[in-house]
Amino acid sequence: MDEQQAAAMIAKAQHRPIIDVQNVKKIYRVGEVKIRALDGISLTIDKGEFACIIGRSGSGKSTLLNMMAGLEAINSGQIIISGKHIERMTEAELIEFRQQQIGFVFQSFNLLPHYTAQENVALPLMFRGIGRAERSRRAREALRLVGLSTHRHHTPMQMSGGQQQRVGIARALVGNPAIVFADEPTGNLDSKTSNEIMELLLEIAQQRRTTFVMVTHDPNMAAYADKTINVLDGKATGISYKNAETTEV
């Protein structure tokens, strides 16, 4: 092996994607009917990338997100995240993996109604065995990051939809995850608030070099992403980059 080949191998190893999905299939059975939710889909997402998975209802995009997050088992293929095969993990290993590596932002916010913003944000840290004082400190910092320091003692009913989603984003970030998965994060928001939330997510992604993977059906929201992966009938049909042409897959 010459020096050029060696350098190429080193460069390839150094640029290993943080998410590597290879030929993943997922089949659901409804009675005697087989539904192919994912039909041999493959894609990669690099560290620090803001990626959007877009497709119409029933395309398989939300199923794909759940598979990458280790929330559902695949039938075949490989999902490698941060160098680890999550399809080989036990349930206990997956729980620890999600606690340490993953943050979630939900369409419906999923905030506990009788908890304050700070308590909602701090909740994931409780499951990691972090003490009350440190949980509170980290929650305050996460709320500061999303511009809600003055609302930390408010309950969800005392906040607007946009503010509730900011709390949801703070909760996703409080554990300093490598990857944040967002499932239709602007689906319950008006257009002005949606744009504000997307700009906030982009700003955080750039500041922290956090990898964001968002699922949406809205092309306007997809336009914010560095990379857009089009999904149809359980397959990736095209990948486009900001200010670049679409690549067929």
Side-chain angles (χ1 to χ4, degrees):
M1 181 185 299
D2 60 27
E3 290 184 3
Q4 187 174 5
Q5 289 174 320
M9 290 183 65
I10 292 171
K12 184 177 180 180
Q14 290 175 338
H15 289 86
R16 182 172 61 186
I18 193 170
I19 299 175
D20 189 357
V21 176
Q22 294 296 330
N23 197 30
V24 167
K25 296 182 180 181
K26 179 65 176 181
I27 299 173
Y28 295 104
R29 292 181 181 272
V30 181
E32 297 297 318
V33 179
K34 292 182 180 179
I35 299 173
R36 293 184 177 273
L38 298 177
D39 193 14
I41 194 166
S42 297
L43 60 92
T44 61
I45 296 170
D46 291 333
K47 179 175 174 56
E49 210 164 30
F50 196 113
C52 174
I53 300 170
I54 187 168
R56 64 193 186 195
S57 179
S59 63
K61 61 186 186 299
S62 292
T63 299
L64 175 60
L65 192 77
N66 288 339
M67 302 292 141
M68 291 190 292
L71 295 172
E72 292 188 55
I74 65 177
N75 290 117
S76 63
Q78 296 181 334
I79 300 179
I80 305 167
I81 298 184
S82 299
K84 298 178 180 179
H85 283 263
I86 68 168
E87 82 279 359
R88 300 175 185 172
M89 292 182 180
T90 64
E91 186 58 35
E93 288 171 338
L94 283 169
I95 291 171
E96 183 178 1
F97 165 78
R98 287 192 292 267
Q99 289 177 345
Q100 299 294 331
Q101 297 285 332
I102 305 298
F104 296 92
V105 179
F106 303 96
Q107 176 180 348
S108 56
F109 316 141
N110 284 9
L111 302 178
L112 296 178
H114 302 297
Y115 279 39
T116 65
Q118 181 172 309
E119 289 168 339
N120 268 286
V121 172
L123 191 60
L125 301 178
M126 182 183 301
F127 299 109
R128 293 172 58 176
I130 296 173
R132 181 188 296 270
E134 180 63 11
R135 293 200 305 267
S136 296
R137 186 193 70 77
R138 293 193 193 184
R140 289 194 299 271
E141 174 60 23
L143 286 168
R144 184 199 64 75
L145 184 67
V146 301
L148 281 184
S149 292
T150 57
H151 290 66
R152 63 192 182 95
H153 296 305
H154 288 50
T155 61
M157 290 297 293
Q158 296 172 315
M159 293 183 284
S160 67
Q163 289 169 338
Q164 289 183 62
Q165 191 59 293
R166 284 174 181 261
V167 174
I169 293 167
R171 180 183 56 195
L173 295 168
V174 72
N176 196 28
I179 303 166
V180 172
F181 291 116
D183 190 358
E184 299 278 7
T186 61
N188 287 337
L189 304 174
D190 61 59
S191 58
K192 179 178 181 294
T193 307
S194 294
N195 290 328
E196 291 173 353
I197 290 298
M198 291 305 303
E199 289 168 3
L200 173 63
L201 290 175
L202 277 176
E203 182 181 354
I204 292 170
Q206 292 166 359
Q207 285 179 357
R208 290 194 163 197
R209 287 284 294 162
T210 302
T211 304
F212 277 83
V213 183
M214 178 182 72
V215 161
T216 186
H217 66 276
D218 187 346
N220 293 321
M221 298 302 103
Y224 284 90
D226 301 316
K227 173 192 286 184
T228 301
I229 301 160
N230 292 278
V231 176
L232 179 66
D233 296 332
K235 295 180 179 180
T237 58
I239 298 174
S240 59
Y241 297 85
K242 191 175 289 186
N243 302 322
E245 293 183 359
T246 299
T247 302
E248 298 296 328
V249 295

